[in-house]
Amino acid sequence: MSTPRIGETALARGVTATWWYTAVGVAFFVALTALFWILWAWAAPALDAPWRFPLSIAGSVAWIAASILLLLDYRPSVLAARDGERHPPSTLTMAGFVLAALGALLLGLGTSSLLAAAAVVAFVLSVRPWTPGVRWRVVVGATLLVLVLVFVEASAFATQGIPVSAFSAPAFFVLMVPSMTAFSLWWWEIVLELDWARTAESQLAATRERLRLANDVHDLQGHHLQVIALQLELAERLITKDPAAAAEQIRAAQGAVNEARAGTRALATSFRGVPLPDELENAADLLRAAGHDVRMHVGAGAASAPADVLGPIVRESVTNVLKHGDGARARIELARDGDTWVYRMMNDAAGHDGGAGGVAGAEGGAGTDVAWGSGLTGMGERLEVSGGKVEAWNDGTSFTVQVRLPVGHAPVAGDSGLPATTGDHA
């Protein structure tokens, strides 16, 4: 069973970030539409009253503030509806309605346009958390109403000598307000639904894995316990008549116990395994958290590398870097070189001077002698079973552990753990 990738947590947080991008985008569109009406009030020759321009600015500010308040209340309304709860009108909503009404009044008076006031009303209708069927009816209705007002006011302004081209920009933005607002919020709800579906899929996958584990444990333990019970019962019957045969059955029962233990250990190991790309990401994150500047190079096809062998080695090499490195830099590499997987962990050397018991280059590596402690020894023993080898060297500025493993390696028996590190440098 694979563990969730590191990026999945960030993805869940990204849904919240997507909401803020959406909300800011809608508020920006409202501000841009209001700006066109302010420019209209400033430039239109028929609007020469000095009070109209500041009134238009005040109405625009009220509309923008109302949009922010209504958007802030939109998200909790959708989340409550998703959970089957009713989200009562909040203080934000009521304040947003009041500001929207004030903005519609002031903007309409300041621009001498019913269309400007209708833009605010259309936005309020579009930003409400309607059910999907109702929302699009409201949006279509608001758009048609705005469209009718565009033609009516264009004709009225034309009779006043105002060219239609001067009215086209604010009219176009007002016409787009309902659909732009609704489509933006609808898009965010789609992202939210996808996130919910991903969460449900992960929970379902975890449940399936638990059921599979329960079935496997039942089959494994049930079979061995039945065999052990029969062998011990037979040994009990033979113990007075044929002690040698009874002892043989007891030894067979002991063998069944060992098989059950090995099977249980293998089963636990299979569920505990983590894909190798995830191991490498975990290693890089752990080193960065410890203050290292980490560079990582992962070649193509790394997902098919043997995680049962290389996974514990990645963890062991990271432990060595954390214990013995200088804490400044580290580099992780995994690539395929012909028929061999090559894994390297390089870090800045912490003044390692070789020491007693060093081996030149550690299995043939180049550079200064390094101490060969139990961690590197454990790596070497594990790789020897699979036909691989481990190399380690210190060139005075950096320490490198290199592992070479044939692509068609033999499976590793037993537990996937490695001996604890006690003295090797990395």
Side-chain angles (χ1 to χ4, degrees):
M1 180 178 62
S2 62
T3 59
R5 294 183 64 85
I6 295 170
E8 291 187 359
T9 302
L11 177 62
R13 295 173 183 159
V15 175
T16 301
T18 302
W19 160 249
W20 288 111
Y21 294 147
T22 303
V24 170
V26 172
F28 178 79
F29 188 82
V30 167
L32 192 61
T33 305
L35 177 62
F36 273 104
W37 281 111
I38 293 174
L39 294 175
W40 163 263
W42 175 69
L47 306 178
D48 53 358
W51 53 269
R52 290 188 180 276
F53 182 64
L55 207 64
S56 299
I57 294 177
S60 299
V61 172
W63 182 16
I64 295 170
S67 70
I68 293 173
L69 294 179
L70 293 174
L71 286 169
L72 288 176
D73 194 57
Y74 182 84
R75 183 167 177 256
S77 299
V78 172
L79 296 177
R82 183 255 180 183
D83 294 333
E85 302 174 358
R86 182 178 177 274
H87 183 69
S90 65
T91 305
L92 288 176
T93 302
M94 301 310 298
F97 286 159
V98 171
L99 285 173
L102 180 62
L105 178 63
L106 296 179
L107 196 59
L109 291 174
T111 60
S112 187
S113 171
L114 186 61
L115 183 62
V120 182
V121 175
F123 171 80
V124 172
L125 292 175
S126 302
V127 83
R128 298 304 299 146
W130 307 104
T131 56
V134 175
R135 165 185 284 170
W136 295 115
R137 293 189 185 98
V138 170
V139 169
V140 171
T143 303
L144 290 176
L145 176 61
V146 169
L147 185 61
V148 171
L149 288 176
V150 167
F151 284 106
V152 171
E153 293 211 341
S155 301
F157 284 130
T159 60
Q160 300 175 19
I162 299 176
V164 177
S165 58
F167 182 67
S168 59
F172 172 77
F173 274 85
V174 171
L175 190 62
M176 292 296 294
V177 162
S179 57
M180 186 70 178
T181 302
F183 271 111
S184 298
L185 297 176
W186 174 67
W187 172 252
W188 174 73
E189 290 187 30
I190 289 178
V191 174
L192 191 63
E193 289 288 344
L194 290 174
D195 180 65
W196 289 337
R198 181 188 59 79
T199 302
E201 182 183 11
S202 300
Q203 293 173 347
L204 181 59
T207 301
R208 286 176 175 171
E209 288 296 312
R210 292 190 188 101
L211 290 175
R212 184 166 75 87
L213 175 60
N215 290 332
D216 290 347
V217 170
H218 176 271
D219 294 342
L220 176 67
Q221 298 293 354
H223 167 73
H224 285 98
L225 289 175
Q226 185 178 12
V227 171
I228 293 168
L230 290 174
Q231 289 171 333
L232 291 178
E233 182 180 353
L234 181 58
E236 183 182 14
R237 294 179 181 179
L238 294 175
I239 196 166
T240 56
K241 299 177 182 180
D242 190 349
E248 182 63 29
Q249 292 300 320
I250 292 174
R251 284 191 292 272
Q254 290 176 335
V257 170
N258 293 332
E259 289 179 5
R261 291 173 58 192
T264 303
R265 186 183 300 111
L267 183 62
T269 300
S270 66
F271 274 81
R272 197 168 57 231
V274 177
L276 199 57
D278 291 354
E279 286 281 10
L280 296 172
E281 290 182 14
N282 290 337
D285 278 358
L286 185 59
L287 291 172
R288 290 188 184 106
H292 291 74
D293 177 18
V294 181
R295 298 289 182 267
M296 185 164 66
H297 172 73
V298 179
S304 61
D308 57 335
V309 178
L310 294 179
I313 289 174
V314 171
R315 295 191 292 271
E316 178 70 23
S317 60
V318 169
T319 300
N320 290 341
V321 172
L322 293 175
K323 282 186 176 182
H324 305 292
D326 250 352
R329 296 180 303 278
R331 180 174 178 83
I332 304 172
E333 296 181 358
L334 176 65
R336 182 168 173 170
D337 182 13
D339 293 333
T340 304
W341 288 108
V342 180
Y343 165 76
R344 292 189 188 93
M345 171 68 80
M346 293 171 284
N347 66 282
D348 48 323
H352 183 79
D353 57 0
V359 288
E363 299 285 343
T368 308
D369 292 356
V370 297
W372 191 265
S374 63
L376 290 175
T377 301
M379 289 186 192
E381 291 173 351
R382 183 177 184 85
L383 288 164
E384 186 178 357
V385 175
S386 304
K389 65 177 181 177
V390 60
E391 303 169 321
W393 62 87
N394 184 345
D395 62 7
T397 59
S398 64
F399 184 85
T400 303
V401 173
Q402 176 176 282
V403 168
R404 302 183 67 87
L405 181 68
V407 172
H409 74 95
V412 179
D415 190 85
S416 62
L418 284 172
T421 305
T422 59
D424 47 304
H425 170 283

